[in-house]
Amino acid sequence: MLILLSFLLRVMWNNITLCSICKFSPSSPSLLFSRSRILHHVFERKYKDLCKQTAQILQNRSCQVAKRTCNMLPSRLVSNKAKYRRYTKTYPVLDGRIPTVYQHVFEENLRNNKAVIQRYSELLEMVSKGGGENAILRHTQRNKKLFVRERLKMLLDDESFLELSPLAGLNLPYGDVPAAGCLTGIGKICGVWCVFMANDATVKGGTIYPIGVKKQLRAQEIAMQNRLLSVYLVDSGGAFLPLQSELFPDKSDGGRVFYNEAIMSAMKIPQVAVVCGSCVAGGAYVPTMAEETVIIDKIGTLFLAGPPLVKAATGEDVSPEDLGGAKLHSKVSGCSDHFASSEKEAYECVRNIISTLNYEPLPEEVIEYDGPLYSSDELLGLAPRGYNYTLPVKLILSRLMDGSRFQEFKADYGTTLVTGFGHVEGHLVGVVASNGELSHDASLKGGHFVQLCSQRSIPILFFQNTAPHAAEPTSISQCGRSFSPNFLFLWPNARVALVDSRHFFTIPKAEDNDCKEDESELNHLKEKLEEESSAFYSSARLWDDGVILPQNTRKVVAQCLEIINQQKYQVISPCQYPVIRM
């Protein structure tokens, strides 16, 4: 985003400079000003004559001039489809064959990843059930509400969406909070990519945990970074009070959600909310700060304190409907802009709202591209179980790039880092991929290449697999979150830590009791590091945007590139002010 802004500023400066040269100030000395006016009239007359001559030439030789002009057009004016056909077929083809000498490593990785993926599938299955079967039955039959995943089916277009951090909230110190109590992701509504944040009331009654706040903040960050319109499906019981000290007081706690809503409105990023359940305390702020809000009759309520607290404070008995139901907020308070008699009607209303946002859907032109020459299923044998089982990264790239074609940059310099250009489903990307221990030359090469991508506004795809030195603690993975990437994903076999516990230093065995205690502490530390470095531990704490299967990498990356690309087609209002409700 910074690169895009700097480009715009350069263009703006050039236009202003040109205007300052071509315009004359009335405050200039009269003689100079009069001569300038004479010159201006001369240039204007000559310019008009030149335009007439050019028009005559175009009229007489229209076909020849059109053909010559087409050949002279800058590449950025040629369609993406034409660019792809013209250039990508000339990129060198990577050799993705597995050398015989590596066959045993490939098979060992394959066995390891089958076990890891089995664990991954079990966790996803558990998360997909929300708060459990009993909680879902209570939610759907007694409370007459749709399960959160059914709501998304009604809201989103009939195509796959990108769910973010589905494993967040598992095995935390305060217990399991499946999917952090809310589903977040990016899907299409009326052909437009949107971020959605949907509370799952079957998890802990819809109360908000610290990990749930963190997940919503990350979704808002993605919306701001990629200028994606946001939809909130609010069904929240407010903060989980036993953990209130971790929920709201600090800068990046719950209050930041409301701050981000105001900032996004100022950035002209539309936000729509649906009150599809109880919205109490902090949960009530989200829909009332959105630009348009829909509330559902009978099941949607909105108040800072519910009937029990009203009874305790005033002794008055009041029903949820009278205190903050759909009719009250649609007819009296004005907190809701649209009244819906059912959930189906509410989500249809949201789709109608989005159709009024003056968003241009992505062009429907299908870019032709070739699939990789090698099967993506073979990535399971290339995803390493450890650094003794790492194969050349070009074998991975040959299974991800269109046509397995890759234009490598500085191929023979700093070879422990592979850099170059390729396409993923027609999208041009720069690739920076670890290929061993990062050396000084490789670092220089990477810095040079990243600057090239920045100059050319080409998105960069990082493949991190930084091998540690066996003799001393070294960084396994650079801290990706600190650099605010648009998206960050892990393979199930990935490990994120400062040191590899399997290469940790050891203490010589001795009979001394102190040494035995030291050895016990060291073993305990190793076990702790082993647990904390797994991909599932990382994803449960939102250090990433989710764990993805190696064979799905190409699809996910292509989806992300399309999402990032959408902001090029937005119609941004010239209005300088955010929407201020009531």
Side-chain angles (χ1 to χ4, degrees):
M1 191 62 191
L2 290 175
I3 297 154
L4 176 61
L5 287 174
S6 67
F7 171 74
L8 292 175
L9 288 172
R10 284 201 301 274
V11 174
M12 188 186 301
W13 183 87
N14 289 336
N15 288 339
I16 292 171
T17 307
L18 182 63
C19 291
S20 66
I21 293 172
C22 296
K23 292 182 179 178
F24 304 97
S25 170
S27 62
S28 304
S30 58
L31 181 59
L32 178 61
F33 182 63
S34 59
R35 289 178 179 176
S36 298
R37 289 180 63 86
I38 293 171
L39 287 173
H40 178 68
H41 289 308
V42 171
F43 286 143
E44 186 176 21
R45 186 168 59 252
K46 293 289 185 183
Y47 175 72
K48 289 180 179 178
D49 292 340
L50 180 61
C51 289
K52 290 179 181 178
Q53 294 174 15
T54 304
Q56 188 66 33
I57 292 172
L58 287 173
Q59 185 176 1
N60 295 338
R61 303 180 183 179
S62 57
C63 295
Q64 296 178 2
V65 172
K67 185 176 180 180
R68 188 181 304 119
T69 305
C70 183
N71 293 333
M72 294 173 61
L73 279 173
S75 61
R76 65 189 177 90
L77 297 180
V78 182
S79 73
N80 287 336
K81 191 172 182 179
K83 279 171 61 181
Y84 183 81
R85 284 201 302 263
R86 184 175 177 183
Y87 299 117
T88 193
K89 300 291 186 182
T90 64
Y91 288 4
V93 177
L94 293 169
D95 183 0
R97 293 173 297 177
I98 310 295
T100 305
V101 68
Y102 291 145
Q103 194 62 39
H104 71 287
V105 178
F106 180 89
E107 292 172 357
E108 185 67 27
N109 287 339
L110 190 60
R111 282 192 293 271
N112 176 70
N113 280 297
K114 284 183 177 178
V116 172
I117 289 173
Q118 177 65 29
R119 175 61 178 157
Y120 170 74
S121 301
E122 291 171 358
L123 292 174
L124 275 186
E125 177 67 20
M126 182 180 72
V127 165
S128 67
K129 296 177 181 178
E133 294 181 2
N134 291 336
I136 293 176
L137 285 174
R138 185 165 56 250
H139 179 81
T140 56
Q141 295 184 7
R142 191 182 75 180
N143 298 336
K144 309 299 182 185
K145 296 192 286 188
L146 292 176
F147 184 47
V148 63
R149 295 186 183 274
E150 294 300 318
R151 287 170 171 168
L152 291 176
K153 285 182 182 179
M154 298 183 72
L155 175 67
L156 302 176
D157 293 351
D158 188 20
E159 55 183 276
S160 62
F161 62 86
L162 179 63
E163 185 173 353
L164 300 171
S165 303
L167 302 183
L170 297 181
N171 298 317
L172 296 181
Y174 43 78
D176 281 336
V177 187
C182 64
L183 268 63
T184 63
I186 306 170
K188 281 187 177 179
I189 304 177
C190 301
V192 179
W193 286 109
C194 309
V195 168
F196 60 81
M197 286 157 269
N199 296 114
D200 183 356
T202 68
V203 178
K204 313 294 184 182
T207 52
I208 303 172
Y209 279 69
I211 192 66
V213 170
K214 190 175 182 181
K215 189 171 181 179
Q216 290 187 55
L217 289 175
R218 174 57 185 156
Q220 288 181 320
E221 181 184 6
I222 289 173
M224 288 187 280
Q225 201 168 19
N226 301 289
R227 298 196 60 84
L228 299 171
L229 100 84
S230 300
V231 178
Y232 305 89
L233 304 186
V234 194
D235 189 354
S236 168
F240 182 64
L241 293 180
L243 295 174
Q244 67 163 353
S245 63
E246 302 176 39
L247 272 167
F248 280 93
D250 211 349
K251 180 179 179 181
S252 296
D253 287 343
R256 195 74 178 184
V257 173
F258 317 135
Y259 172 85
N260 285 344
E261 283 193 79
I263 295 299
M264 290 164 70
S265 182
M267 292 173 66
K268 305 179 185 66
I269 298 174
Q271 298 169 89
V272 181
V274 181
V275 180
C276 47
S278 178
C279 297
V280 184
Y285 286 95
V286 172
T288 51
M289 291 189 67
E291 294 178 0
E292 281 195 68
T293 299
V294 183
I295 191 167
I296 303 171
D297 192 26
K298 305 301 182 188
I299 64 173
T301 55
L302 194 67
F303 31 63
L304 290 178
L309 285 180
V310 172
K311 175 69 173 177
T314 67
E316 181 183 357
D317 290 313
V318 62
S319 70
E321 281 295 312
D322 291 338
L323 183 63
K327 292 178 181 177
L328 174 86
H329 287 304
S330 298
K331 297 180 178 181
V332 181
S333 74
C335 286
S336 175
D337 308 301
H338 305 276
F339 175 92
S341 58
S342 66
E343 292 208 49
K344 181 181 179 181
E345 184 180 328
Y347 304 129
E348 288 176 353
C349 183
V350 171
R351 296 178 66 85
N352 291 337
I353 291 170
I354 290 173
S355 70
T356 70
L357 295 179
N358 203 18
Y359 262 48
E360 293 184 5
L362 290 174
E364 294 184 0
E365 178 187 21
V366 178
I367 300 176
E368 298 174 1
Y369 58 83
D370 297 325
L373 300 180
Y374 305 93
S375 172
S376 60
D377 291 335
E378 293 177 338
L379 289 170
L380 293 176
L382 298 174
R385 62 168 293 190
Y387 298 102
N388 296 330
Y389 298 88
T390 297
L391 299 180
V393 74
K394 290 181 187 177
L395 296 177
I396 292 176
L397 297 181
S398 67
R399 287 155 177 80
L400 296 176
M401 298 292 114
D402 292 356
S404 299
R405 294 182 179 273
F406 186 64
Q407 175 65 28
E408 191 168 1
F409 176 75
K410 285 184 182 287
D412 300 322
Y413 179 79
T415 55
T416 57
L417 190 71
V418 173
T419 56
F421 299 100
H423 290 79
V424 179
E425 293 193 5
H427 299 279
L428 176 64
V429 293
V431 173
V432 178
S434 303
N435 197 38
E437 191 172 336
L438 193 63
S439 65
H440 175 264
D441 290 350
S443 300
L444 293 177
K445 168 182 169 178
H448 184 176
F449 181 74
V450 166
Q451 291 179 74
L452 290 181
C453 292
S454 297
Q455 288 285 348
R456 300 169 190 177
S457 297
I458 297 173
I460 303 175
L461 183 57
F462 287 89
F463 290 94
Q464 292 189 351
N465 182 27
T466 310
H469 194 283
E472 61 185 34
T474 47
S475 174
I476 293 180
S477 173
Q478 295 176 354
C479 192
R481 272 284 195 246
S482 300
F483 293 91
S484 298
N486 293 62
F487 298 97
L488 174 62
F489 299 100
L490 298 181
W491 282 357
N493 62 292
R495 307 183 66 79
V496 182
L498 291 175
V499 295
D500 187 347
S501 60
R502 293 167 294 187
H503 292 162
F504 210 49
F505 60 88
T506 58
I507 296 176
K509 291 185 178 181
E511 298 299 328
D512 193 299
N513 288 334
D514 291 340
C515 289
K516 288 183 179 179
E517 290 179 5
D518 291 342
E519 185 177 356
S520 175
E521 290 180 6
L522 179 61
N523 290 334
H524 178 71
L525 178 58
K526 280 185 176 182
E527 291 174 3
K528 187 173 186 291
L529 292 175
E530 181 73 13
E531 178 191 359
E532 293 180 354
S533 63
S534 77
F536 304 135
Y537 188 94
S538 166
S539 205
R541 286 151 182 79
L542 280 164
W543 297 349
D544 53 73
D545 295 317
V547 177
I548 61 173
L549 296 178
Q551 62 267 37
N552 294 339
T553 302
R554 178 175 157 85
K555 176 185 175 183
V556 172
V557 169
Q559 232 175 359
C560 291
L561 291 169
E562 186 180 342
I563 290 165
I564 293 169
N565 197 46
Q566 176 173 273
Q567 56 188 302
K568 296 180 181 178
Y569 302 95
Q570 289 183 10
V571 178
I572 299 179
S573 167
C575 178
Q576 298 298 314
Y577 306 103
V579 174
I580 302 173
R581 292 182 62 96
M582 296 186 285

